[in-house]
Amino acid sequence: MSNVEVLFQITPVSHLNDGVIAQKIDLKTKPQGSLGKLESLALQIARIQGAECLKINAPTMLVFAGDHGIAREGISIAPSEVTAQMVQNFANGGAAINVFCRQLGWQLEVIDCGILTPSKAEGICLQRLGAGTQAIHLAPAMDIATVDKGFEMARQLVERHCQAGCNLIGIGEMGIGNSSAASAIMAAILKLDVKDCVGRGTGISTEVLARKTELLELALRRHQSELDSPKQILAHLGGFEIVQMTGAMLAAAERDMLTVVDGFIATAAALVAVAIAPNVRDYLIFAHQSEEQGHQAMLAHLQAKPLLDLGLRLGEGTGAALALPLIQAAANFYNQMASFSDAGIEAVV
């Protein structure tokens, strides 16, 4: 597989029935537009599923973990060893994402995409592309063959869940240093200055932020001549978990599955996925607006209106997990809410 380019065949979402779907939503027993974002969400789901009755089946949260060479420069609040410790915490059921998945009805799978030391925790899916990426201010994070290998691994993972009946996945991550990779990806794709993309991650100091910015500016200068395609951007600036997150979004769209995108790092993966295959955008639901600087610009570029704004900056897929009841509510009002004619009420327009 390492010498074969992985291609995704994503069907454009049809808009032929938009009028019929919109009329069904408008004729529910409510003023038009009064359910706000839930109405546009129901329209999005109905476009994809093309069914009279919308269904959210076996929602599955995929949390991708990987380590980053740049973290050795001390640009995060914790050392890289914490990635493996948090993966163990996921396996033990003790993290925020575990709590939210149990509460809200998500199935949870954690994927070791390339943390420094292979996870030995029970139940962790091993899809390792290496033992952490290269430091991107010194060398490419990985080669193109590794990107393709990660894409194929992600495709097989999503296919397994699709075959098990899942039609909605959530995308989360864990990786000390991955906000640096996400910031660099954002700068490269949106052609912005690093200072407009880089943020404090989970809470670094002003001094560390300055160092992080300096290293990312160096990385962008070093690789500038090679950043001529989305996959090259991933290879030079990305992370093993960001590669597989990108591949999972593409693979899910290929199988007509919805993807709930978490925060800043997951949205960086979405930027790459949409750059590779623009049709993937129609299959993405953006869960929340992160506290991370730059996330709002990413969302604007993708013409995304996130469902939540809770001041989150944890990652792990926590924002995506919290969005599930809203997605279910959108499907349920579409399926179950009476129309004016059903209820014998004079239509409100």
Side-chain angles (χ1 to χ4, degrees), residues 175-220:
I176 299 299
N178 63 10
S179 70
S180 294
S183 298
I185 288 169
M186 176 186 175
I189 290 184
L190 301 189
K191 301 188 186 308
L192 296 174
D193 289 340
V194 166
K195 69 178 187 300
D196 295 323
C197 305
V198 68
R200 295 182 182 270
T202 45
I204 58 175
S205 68
T206 299
E207 293 75 18
V208 174
L209 178 62
R211 175 61 173 159
K212 180 177 177 179
T213 304
E214 178 187 4
L215 291 176
L216 294 183
E217 287 173 341
L218 177 59
L220 268 294

Side-chain angles (χ1 to χ4, degrees), residues 88-171:
Q88 183 65 55
N89 192 28
F90 297 151
N92 294 341
I97 190 59
N98 299 100
V99 174
F100 295 162
C101 285
R102 286 194 297 265
Q103 174 188 338
L104 299 169
W106 289 94
Q107 300 176 37
L108 173 63
E109 181 161 17
V110 180
I111 302 96
D112 176 359
C113 303
I115 61 179
L116 288 179
T117 304
S119 176
K120 297 180 181 178
E122 185 175 350
I124 302 300
C125 176
L126 297 180
Q127 296 195 166
R128 293 175 56 79
L129 297 172
T133 60
Q134 297 296 310
I136 60 174
H137 64 296
L138 301 175
M142 67 197 81
D143 58 26
I144 285 288
T146 301
V147 174
D148 278 315
K149 182 179 179 182
F151 279 2
E152 184 58 28
M153 285 178 166
R155 173 184 264 154
Q156 292 174 7
L157 174 71
V158 168
E159 182 63 23
R160 171 160 55 83
H161 287 289
C162 181
Q163 292 298 324
C166 171
N167 71 350
L168 179 140
I169 61 169
I171 298 289

Side-chain angles (χ1 to χ4, degrees), residues 50-79:
E52 186 69 19
C53 183
L54 308 184
K55 296 180 180 180
I56 305 299
N57 296 329
T60 301
M61 181 63 63
L62 302 175
V63 179
F64 297 86
D67 273 312
H68 296 256
I70 197 172
R72 291 191 294 270
E73 300 294 327
I75 42 74
S76 300
I77 64 167

